[in-house]
Amino acid sequence: MPDVALLALIVVAMLAGYLLGRRDLRKKNHSQSSGQALSKEYFVGLNYLLNEQTDEAIETFIKALDLNNDTVDTYLALGSLFARRGEVEKSIRVHQDLLARPSLTSSQSLRVQLELAKDFMQAGLLDRAEAMLADMARNNHEYRLEALQQLLKIYELEREWTKAVAVGEELRKTGADRYAVVLAHFYCEGALICLNRNDRVSARKAIRQAFTRDKNCVRASLLLARMEFDDGRYRDCIKALEKVAQQNSHYVPLTLELLEQAYGRLGNVRGFTAFLGRCLIERPGGAVILAMTKVLASDRGDEQALRFLTGQLGKNPSLKGLNALMTLQLRNPAVGSLQSIRLLKEMTDKMLELKPVYQCNSCGFSGKEMHWMCPGCHSWGAIAPVQGIEGE
């Protein structure tokens, strides 16, 4: 039984034959012998397809198809079919042959160039795709927007952030507001490059640019906070970190370690406790509960920390919270409970080792490392700490 793709290819061939027949009827001055030649080539090509000799079929249909608006679409459908099947070389051949025809209109030529650039991208020939798309993006036409979008994908893959910013800004000018968030991440990537070469002035400028595109860019706040901390500006570091709670409270867990250190450098443990208290009222997440438990254990002792954590876990259960509770109980074992608690803790330790820490809210990709661009679907700012009983 032939596969679906082969059947689709046969349908394309049949469509080509139909278009050729209709063209012959319209052209009354076309010679009878020429019409017979075309018909013969069509059936030869169909025979090749039925025998799955697709290379020979392509050659035959290329010879058989005269170019007009209808047959350009047929060519493009054929190339698209090969691309979907993963036969990129064949798709490239179809599109290159089509592009070489002098009878193409300007619009048709641009459309074919766009499809050929996609072929190059799929084949991993990013330099060739980039050159073609960059040339298309220089002038205003109906395919410019899509050319810019494809060009942006290339720069993301190649991590060419300066070029990505330039293309992203062009896309933003078209009224596509969704590129503002993406641009903020590009500026953050630029800031990281500047920091790696110790150009802190340029890094700060890039962070400011990120905020101009997305005022709620958590990543920019975290980068700024780290810079402020490293420069000894602990109050500014705290300001940047506490801003994250207003930008997107899901990312508060990413702020707590550095926030505790900054408050510690200022000798202001109460300030950190007050921040945790506000978070517990507004959004009592597991990471905040554990941070408060740690502060209470250090400041008031394990017994007070145990009471607090037990009460919080009754309202906001989590594996990490349970694990922390058992750690405290092991330090202060009740009579007869030590062995059972130890065994339970070993089980939760193993469970936590296997659980992902971060998850993409767009495609569901999960892992233990934080990525600002999802490795699965390449969305920016879609990955966040896992929430709920198995999360933070």
Side-chain angles (χ1 to χ4, degrees):
M1 180 178 175
D3 61 21
V4 175
L6 183 57
L7 286 174
L9 195 56
I10 293 172
V11 170
V12 171
M14 293 174 67
L15 175 63
Y18 168 76
L19 292 174
L20 286 171
R22 190 177 67 172
R23 179 181 172 85
D24 287 343
L25 288 174
R26 287 201 307 263
K27 290 190 172 183
K28 294 183 179 179
N29 60 344
H30 198 277
S31 69
Q32 182 68 26
S33 60
S34 176
Q36 291 173 346
L38 284 173
S39 178
K40 179 181 178 181
E41 287 179 327
Y42 162 67
F43 284 108
V44 169
L46 185 58
N47 183 61
Y48 282 137
L49 283 175
L50 290 171
N51 288 286
E52 299 189 44
Q53 296 173 268
T54 51
D55 287 334
E56 292 83 353
I58 292 172
E59 295 291 347
T60 302
F61 281 116
I62 283 174
K63 292 177 182 177
L65 292 176
D66 287 333
L67 274 184
N68 54 45
N69 288 335
D70 294 324
T71 55
V72 168
D73 289 336
T74 304
Y75 265 105
L76 290 171
L78 192 63
S80 178
L81 175 61
F82 284 131
R84 287 198 302 273
R85 293 181 64 181
E87 300 178 87
V88 187
E89 291 183 4
K90 294 177 182 177
S91 182
I92 289 174
R93 283 182 55 202
V94 170
H95 291 136
Q96 284 181 330
D97 181 84
L98 186 56
L99 196 60
R101 301 297 179 95
S103 54
L104 285 178
T105 66
S106 176
S107 178
Q108 289 171 339
S109 177
L110 288 168
R111 183 180 174 191
V112 176
Q113 287 179 59
L114 182 60
E115 294 304 318
L116 182 57
K118 291 178 182 178
D119 289 340
F120 288 147
M121 289 175 66
Q122 189 174 344
L125 304 173
L126 298 184
D127 289 346
R128 297 181 69 177
E130 178 187 351
M132 184 170 288
L133 291 168
D135 185 61
M136 291 182 67
R138 289 190 182 96
N139 301 305
N140 286 321
H141 49 75
E142 58 186 314
Y143 298 107
R144 182 172 184 265
L145 179 60
E146 191 173 353
L148 286 169
Q149 291 169 340
Q150 296 299 323
L151 197 56
L152 189 64
K153 292 180 181 178
I154 291 176
Y155 292 144
E156 285 182 334
L157 289 171
E158 295 186 327
R159 303 183 70 81
E160 294 272 4
W161 303 120
T162 301
K163 293 180 179 180
V165 163
V167 173
E169 293 290 1
E170 284 295 316
L171 286 167
R172 182 171 168 269
K173 290 177 184 176
T174 65
D177 292 337
R178 67 182 183 277
Y179 288 103
V181 173
V182 173
L183 277 165
H185 281 282
F186 292 165
Y187 284 120
C188 286
E189 291 285 353
L192 281 174
I193 293 172
C194 294
L195 286 173
N196 288 335
R197 61 172 183 252
N198 203 30
D199 183 358
R200 303 180 76 77
V201 173
S202 296
R204 285 182 178 275
K205 179 181 178 181
I207 291 171
R208 287 196 299 270
Q209 288 172 314
F211 281 128
T212 64
R213 293 296 171 258
D214 179 16
K215 65 180 180 180
N216 291 319
C217 182
V218 170
R219 189 182 185 186
S221 293
L222 294 174
L223 281 171
L224 179 60
R226 172 49 67 179
M227 288 188 66
E228 303 292 20
F229 184 89
D230 292 342
D231 292 342
R233 291 191 281 267
Y234 303 120
R235 287 185 175 82
D236 290 332
C237 171
I238 290 168
K239 181 180 178 181
L241 290 172
E242 293 190 350
K243 182 180 179 181
V244 171
Q246 281 73 52
Q247 292 174 320
N248 190 330
S249 61
H250 286 98
Y251 290 95
V252 167
L254 299 181
T255 70
L256 297 178
E257 182 179 354
L258 188 59
L259 196 57
E260 183 180 11
Q261 293 177 28
Y263 272 117
R265 294 293 178 90
L266 294 173
N268 185 12
V269 177
R270 288 187 178 180
F272 183 53
T273 306
F275 172 75
L276 293 175
R278 293 194 298 272
C279 289
L280 285 171
I281 294 171
E282 297 167 6
R283 182 182 170 274
V288 174
I289 292 170
L290 293 179
M292 181 66 89
T293 301
K294 180 182 176 182
V295 171
L296 289 173
S298 176
D299 190 38
R300 303 182 188 179
D302 286 354
E303 186 176 348
Q304 182 73 22
L306 269 168
R307 283 200 297 268
F308 167 78
L309 183 55
T310 302
Q312 289 294 324
L313 288 178
K315 297 178 288 185
N316 304 285
S318 71
L319 284 175
K320 287 186 177 180
L322 178 60
N323 193 263
L325 179 63
M326 288 185 291
T327 299
L328 285 171
Q329 287 183 330
L330 284 170
R331 292 208 301 252
N332 303 274
V335 177
S337 65
L338 184 60
Q339 183 62 27
S340 61
I341 293 173
R342 182 177 289 114
L343 290 172
L344 189 55
K345 177 170 171 53
E346 289 175 1
M347 291 174 60
T348 55
D349 282 338
K350 292 178 181 178
M351 291 174 66
L352 287 171
E353 286 177 5
L354 299 174
K355 292 296 180 182
V357 181
Y358 304 100
Q359 187 171 40
C360 176
N361 59 31
S362 179
C363 72
F365 172 89
S366 60
K368 289 186 174 293
E369 294 185 11
M370 178 65 190
H371 298 275
W372 291 106
M373 183 177 73
C374 175
C377 64
H378 305 295
S379 297
W380 287 97
I383 290 182
V386 174
Q387 308 294 311
I389 191 168
E390 295 186 356
E392 58 160 49

